[in-house]
Amino acid sequence: MTLKIDLKSAILALSDALDLVGVNDFQHGKRVAMIARETGLALGLLEKHLDRLVCASLLHDVGVSSSAEHQRLLREADWGHRHAHCETGYRLLQPFAHLSLLATAIRYHHTPWVELPSGLVESEALDSNLILLGDRVDAMVFQRGLENPLFNRVGIVEAVATLAGHELSPVVVDAFLGVAAREAFWIALVPRHVQRYVLDLPLGDWRLSIDFPQFGHVARLISSIVDAKSHFTAAHSLGVAQLARYLGERAGLAGDTPARIEVAGLMHDVGKLCVPDEIVDKPASLTPLEFSVMERHSFETYEILRHIPGLEQVAEWAAFHHEALNGNGYPFRRGADGLSTEARIVAVADVFQALAQERPYRGAQRAEEIPRLLNDFVGNGVLDGELVALACEDLDGSWRAATVVPSPDACG
């Protein structure tokens, strides 16, 4: 039976991943979605239009993986490079049949109303402006404190009113002012309420079943966002995925298991989006505090993936990549009895690829050095010796799988 994935669940999981980029500004995309949708409701938009607006709002920052860039976007409305991530998001979403419907609104969500291209479809122009409204309002909410948005509403409303006729459509501003008059709107922006608001939305047109190969393209999209966080990790997830699939096939795993292991590899570091750039790129050993922040990432990966129906096993294979056979890994302290062959394969692929790639604190290792280094992990009770031997038997093949980046047309 072919595994099917619910597109709505995949979009919400991608939204959860993007939420991590803010580090201390969690749920930015979800608040933007709520602000945009409530304003769209006041404008009388139909449910089908509102659903598309919500999905575009949830993913509007899909071109951002750097915590420093996220902070600048929140604090500097006129930052000169603010359009770069809009173009990146547009490019990332264009190849996907349904997600491409969101691409244009995302491309122009930092473009003032009076500067939008004249040939833009009216509904897409409106969506981009509603997302810009939500983005600006949420930035002001965040700057004044998320604890009590209701208390700070007057200054925010006054600031939004000044944007009418230039950055924002006067019609959009008028609709927002009506929404903003309700205390409930501001109270609902606090984290526990906004989370429930989004989860309760039916998003009927987005409750589509996509097959596993299609989801593999989405997983590759997510991996590209994660790997873009640092030039040291460029194509790391892709290399782990390719090597994990290669080892799964060499180990004789049946059916679609190698393809599912590949998806686990693509998404194993998605939780690393919650780690500040300065920790990821630190050219020295991490302090105990910094390491505790780094240790969060595999747990965050698990929490994001396990909520996608059909990916429960893949979530474990991805999230256990820092577990150890001796039980001294993190974050779940799984031992040999709790680690499947698939999880062990992802762990071996992760270490192999990381050794083959430059890191801020060391250079890339040569291919002939990797067997010795991997066997040190085996001797210390971390990695599976049989799987390490499998990777080293055909060192050239493993090296190519871990390091060769295919052309975009080769995705599949």
Side-chain angles (χ1 to χ4, degrees), residues 12 36 68 110 159 182 199 242 376 398:
L12 291 175
H110 273 294
R182 304 194 308 261
L199 291 178
Q242 292 175 164
D376 286 344
S398 295

Side-chain angles (χ1 to χ4, degrees), residues 7 22 35 47 81 104 106 123 137 147 188 225 231 261 274 341 348 385:
L7 181 58
I35 294 163
E47 199 68 27
H81 295 290
T104 298
I106 288 172
S123 62
V137 171
E147 299 80 11
I225 298 167
H231 75 273
I261 292 176
C274 76
T341 297
V348 170

